[in-house]
Amino acid sequence: MTAMTRWNPFAEFEDILDRYNRQVAGRNSAPATNGNREILQKTDWAPSVDITENKDAFVITAELPGIRKEDVNVSVQDGVLTIQGERNFENTEDEARRHRVERFYGHFARSFSLPDNVDDENIKANYHDGVLELTLAKQEKAKPRAIEVEVN
């Protein structure tokens, strides 16, 4: 017996809109520069992230399924944290036909401006089961202090 499925014309439209939004979020037209620092990077896709905060730290959790730890690079420069890497397309030589390819392949990058109270010398990274977790420790803000002026 064949099961019947009700056709929803809006589901296809939502699928197209979702693909468009993911494609636009992951592709920037041309890199803009600020002096000699690149602000926007051209990437093929961008991983999804969650950012949470507790009293001691900010935690950034990025989904990177199927990517080896060696293919991920995390860097901090001028108050900007960048996660970047690459997922390569597994091209098999057999004659298997692909019916659908929805996962993104190629270079990826995400950049985040760090708040002033993040200690960029104390960032910890943990990678397990395709999930990258970055813990950015907070530091106390410098308190204003009075400077005594001597009269000569």
Side-chain angles (χ1 to χ4, degrees), residues 71-147:
D71 295 333
V72 178
N73 182 31
V74 179
S75 62
V76 177
Q77 182 179 359
D78 299 329
V80 176
L81 176 106
T82 302
I83 304 167
Q84 59 186 350
E86 188 167 0
R87 178 189 294 151
N88 295 315
F89 186 75
E90 297 123 18
N91 193 3
T92 58
E93 293 298 321
D94 60 8
E95 295 191 23
R97 294 187 332 179
R98 298 189 192 285
H99 291 278
R100 183 177 284 206
V101 176
E102 292 184 349
R103 296 184 299 158
F104 290 101
Y105 296 92
H107 183 262
F108 66 87
R110 290 293 301 262
S111 294
F112 306 94
S113 294
L114 298 178
D116 293 334
N117 64 336
V118 167
D119 180 5
D120 62 0
E121 298 293 323
N122 191 11
I123 297 175
K124 294 183 180 150
N126 182 26
Y127 191 72
H128 184 67
D129 290 339
V131 177
L132 174 66
E133 183 176 279
L134 302 171
T135 304
L136 296 77
K138 293 181 182 179
Q139 63 184 359
E140 286 190 37
K141 292 183 182 177
K143 296 180 181 174
R145 61 183 178 96
I147 299 173

